[in-house]
Amino acid sequence: MSLAQHFQSDSPVISFELFPPKTEKGFKTLEKNVQQLLELNPAFFTCTYGAGGSSQAATLDVVSKVKKMTGLPIASHLTCVGSTVSELVDYLNRAVDVGCDYIVALRGDPPKGEDSFTAVEGGLRYANELVDLIKDKFPSLGIIVAGYPEVHQEAPDAQTDLLNLKRKVDAGADIIVTQLFYDNADYFAFVDQCHDIGIEIPIVPGILPVTNFAQAERIAKLCKARIPDELRDPMLQSDAPEHQFEVGVDHARRQSIELLDRGVPGIHYYVLNKSEAAKALMEGMSMPAGG
Ligand code: FAD
């Protein structure tokens, strides 16, 4: 099924984001958790690229394994960091060879120690250029791009960031998946602003069930996601891991229920290779079948 077709059905499309494990043991755990996540009827999986210093080979390994295990569509994330156009094309060819269906087309972050992003010679400067490349050379691949309800950290202002998002949409993206957020009001305001400038493709909220406060703080710093009082206060009532897990999962469950009630096209869960929190948060929710 094409990426766009998933979103033509009435039921919300559920997807799970994985990352490449660094060890053989991590791969075994990933396989076990993917089996459990399958019980939650996702429409597709995605696997990150380059994040945390992982290799291209590791992403392709996950793409290939998860595709074989699940038979579901799978997306590889891809960034422009450190690659020339011909290296990006080479990666895309290898991704297609191992069964990749969709690409999460990203610019990527500046390498560690650098303040701003600089394209390598013969490389690309922005994600919209990567979308152009994929549409030109790999028209059958579905394309997902990133959107920022709390504004991308390098953008001078929200309106400029939105216009830059529109460039990716105009280049041919099928859907937008948002950066994680903890306050649904930020997502709903973002969707309204996207509609105001003529963005009409599905805008899928990205939700991370945080399982402890230290993790929430680390991720908030990394992604500039604000932690609202209704998550912070109950979480800080106790250091007990079970308490923090429950509060984090409960918050993500309440976010999900409200988003689904208000008719979002789907939810993309940042599951961090774990199934426990995703399973716990979907308990008691009526989840769609397959999307
Ligand atoms: P862009 O859309 O290119 O935007 C980057 C900045 O440039 C923004 O401030 C934007 O406003 C501006 N801009 C964009 N286009 C133009 C233009 N044409 N002219 C002038 N300014 C412009 N990182 C990883 O390393 N690996 C991953 O797997 C990964 N997966 C992600 C998945 C999702 C769903 C999200 C939301 C983020 C992910 N990231 C990942 C993080 C991402 O790489 C960073 O947020 C990065 O800083 C921006 O990438 P982008 O594709 O949004 O960039």
Side-chain angles (χ1 to χ4, degrees):
M1 195 188 287
S2 80
L3 182 55
Q5 275 168 343
H6 282 294
F7 290 88
Q8 281 156 14
S9 103
D10 282 341
S11 38
V13 179
I14 301 304
S15 52
F16 293 126
E17 179 171 313
L18 310 169
F19 66 85
K22 292 215 167 82
T23 61
E24 208 34 57
K25 191 168 163 235
F27 260 104
K28 288 266 166 294
T29 310
L30 176 70
E31 282 173 16
K32 200 176 91 213
N33 285 325
V34 166
Q35 286 295 1
Q36 293 185 350
L37 288 167
L38 271 178
E39 292 165 20
L40 301 170
N41 283 322
F44 62 91
F45 287 88
T46 81
C47 180
T48 63
Y49 175 99
S54 63
S55 70
Q56 292 186 344
T59 297
L60 290 176
D61 212 5
V62 173
V63 167
S64 162
K65 283 204 167 96
V66 172
K67 180 75 189 242
K68 280 191 196 124
M69 266 177 75
T70 66
L72 290 177
I74 174 126
S76 168
H77 297 216
L78 174 61
T79 76
C80 306
V81 178
S83 295
T84 62
V85 166
S86 96
E87 286 162 344
L88 292 168
V89 169
D90 182 51
Y91 180 85
L92 288 161
N93 272 316
R94 285 186 286 143
V96 169
D97 285 348
V98 297
C100 179
D101 303 275
Y102 317 139
I103 297 290
V104 184
L106 302 148
R107 184 203 69 180
D109 286 318
K112 257 208 173 92
E114 290 177 32
D115 291 340
S116 59
F117 181 89
T118 317
V120 295
E121 203 169 326
L124 302 176
R125 293 167 308 161
Y126 296 109
N128 64 291
E129 297 173 351
L130 182 56
V131 177
D132 279 336
L133 177 73
I134 298 166
K135 285 305 271 187
D136 180 36
K137 302 240 187 281
F138 299 86
S140 63
L141 284 171
I143 302 178
I144 300 166
V145 293
Y148 300 86
E150 295 178 78
V151 184
H152 186 258
Q153 56 263 42
E154 291 166 35
D157 53 69
Q159 189 63 14
T160 309
D161 204 28
L162 281 170
L163 293 171
N164 287 330
L165 173 60
K166 182 133 190 317
R167 293 177 201 262
K168 301 192 271 196
V169 176
D170 292 344
D174 294 293
I175 67 163
I176 295 164
V177 168
T178 76
Q179 184 59 280
L180 63 96
F181 56 87
Y182 299 113
D183 186 341
N184 286 353
D186 292 328
Y187 167 81
F188 293 123
F190 174 69
V191 170
D192 286 346
Q193 289 156 5
C194 286
H195 291 164
D196 286 346
I197 62 158
I199 291 177
E200 284 168 4
I201 61 174
I203 303 170
V204 179
I207 296 293
L208 169 78
V210 281
T211 51
N212 63 71
F213 192 67
Q215 178 204 31
E217 274 200 311
R218 206 171 46 247
I219 290 171
K221 213 162 154 197
L222 216 64
C223 312
K224 301 272 178 288
R226 190 171 49 83
I227 305 178
D229 292 345
E230 65 261 30
L231 173 60
R232 179 190 304 273
D233 293 349
M235 218 177 212
L236 289 179
Q237 274 165 12
S238 161
D239 284 344
E242 315 78 56
H243 168 81
Q244 300 213 336
F245 178 92
E246 205 158 297
V247 171
V249 164
D250 182 56
H251 185 80
R253 186 189 297 116
R254 279 186 286 115
Q255 277 193 283
S256 302
I257 290 172
E258 186 190 25
L259 289 163
L260 293 169
D261 280 352
R262 290 186 53 177
V264 292
I267 301 183
H268 182 70
Y269 286 105
Y270 296 98
V271 291
L272 305 178
N273 291 6
K274 301 200 175 102
S275 55
E276 200 187 355
K279 284 191 83 165
L281 90 86
M282 286 188 186
E283 260 161 34
M285 288 170 56
S286 60
M287 295 308 297

